Amino acid sequence: MIPPNPAEPDAATAGLAREVDGMRRLIAPLPARIDTLSGLVAELGETVAALAARKPPTPAPSWLMAPTDLEVTERLLDELAGWLAQVYLRYPDAVESFPDCWCWHPHVVEELLWLMHAWAAAYQGPAASVALAGDWHDRQRPGVVRRIKATAGVCSRENHQTRPGWPDQVTGAPTVPSEADLDRLGRWWAEARDEPAPEPPPSPDSRIGAALRGGPR
């Protein structure tokens, strides 16, 4: 009978010890990594909660596309009039170019409505900031003042009164030129845009002028 070699158990034990030591080294950093990961998850949860709580930007109402609802239009004008007195008309250049018939001009009301909401976003909204306020002062407000002055600054309430011999001030819905030809133009652009466009028919004014001159009708 061959006696057992006492060196063999020692070698096996040493190998097992090395494996255990290697596993300990692999496992040792895990608690710290788990703590770091837990902290990142907590921060992410706070960020998501803050984003969810933040109100989305509020779109400005449109006077030109306002619903045909008396309560809505009255509210828009009342809010706008209050803001004009408190903010817009505090600026001398705005006062100088502000016509007393401003509310008879739909495009002027439209300009002032969005400017009012831009001011509210800059000063009172959830994303209010010095940068937005600066942009309102440097670019938005002067732009509206300039456009109102150019399009209605010399107008007056008398221009909107109907009197014999007085020119009419157009304030209703505008007529889109050539609207009756849009179907033909749409078909041409969709199906044959590489070919010459269909020829437009003579306008009513040109036919009247030709008839008065005795030319072809």
Side-chain angles (χ1 to χ4, degrees):
M1 182 176 181
I2 302 174
N5 185 356
E8 292 180 356
D10 292 341
T13 302
L16 180 61
R18 286 194 296 272
E19 291 181 5
V20 171
D21 183 62
M23 293 181 64
R24 285 176 177 172
R25 292 181 180 181
L26 290 174
I27 295 173
L30 287 180
R33 293 178 181 177
I34 292 174
D35 291 341
T36 301
L37 182 60
S38 299
L40 292 175
V41 171
E43 292 179 3
L44 180 60
E46 294 175 358
T47 301
V48 172
L51 291 175
R54 181 181 299 176
K55 294 181 180 180
T58 303
S62 171
W63 182 251
L64 300 179
M65 296 295 291
T68 54
D69 185 322
L70 178 60
E71 183 178 350
V72 172
T73 55
E74 286 182 339
R75 176 174 52 80
L76 289 176
L77 288 178
D78 287 344
E79 292 176 354
L80 181 57
W83 180 79
L84 290 174
Q86 292 294 322
V87 178
Y88 185 78
L89 295 178
R90 299 280 187 176
Y91 296 88
D93 58 340
V95 175
E96 293 172 359
S97 62
F98 196 71
D100 57 358
C101 58
W102 66 275
C103 49
W104 271 268
H105 293 271
H107 74 281
V108 172
V109 178
E110 182 82 353
E111 289 268 21
L112 294 171
L113 269 179
W114 81 257
L115 185 67
M116 176 179 70
H117 280 262
W119 178 89
Y123 281 93
Q124 299 175 340
S129 69
V130 174
L132 289 178
D135 188 54
W136 188 88
H137 284 275
D138 290 341
R139 185 175 60 86
Q140 295 173 344
R141 191 196 68 83
V144 170
V145 170
R146 183 176 64 253
R147 288 190 293 273
I148 291 178
K149 182 178 180 179
T151 59
V154 297
C155 195
S156 66
R157 295 170 61 93
E158 288 73 23
N159 287 342
H160 298 270
Q161 295 175 350
T162 303
R163 298 291 186 273
W166 288 17
D168 293 333
Q169 180 75 25
V170 179
T171 56
T175 300
V176 179
S178 302
E179 189 172 11
D181 300 311
L182 296 184
D183 288 343
R184 291 196 307 145
L185 268 296
R187 186 177 302 108
W188 163 69
W189 193 250
E191 301 174 354
R193 69 181 67 178
D194 293 333
E195 301 176 6
E199 182 178 339
S203 64
D205 292 342
S206 64
R207 289 197 297 266
I208 293 174
L212 292 175
R213 292 191 300 268
R217 299 182 182 180

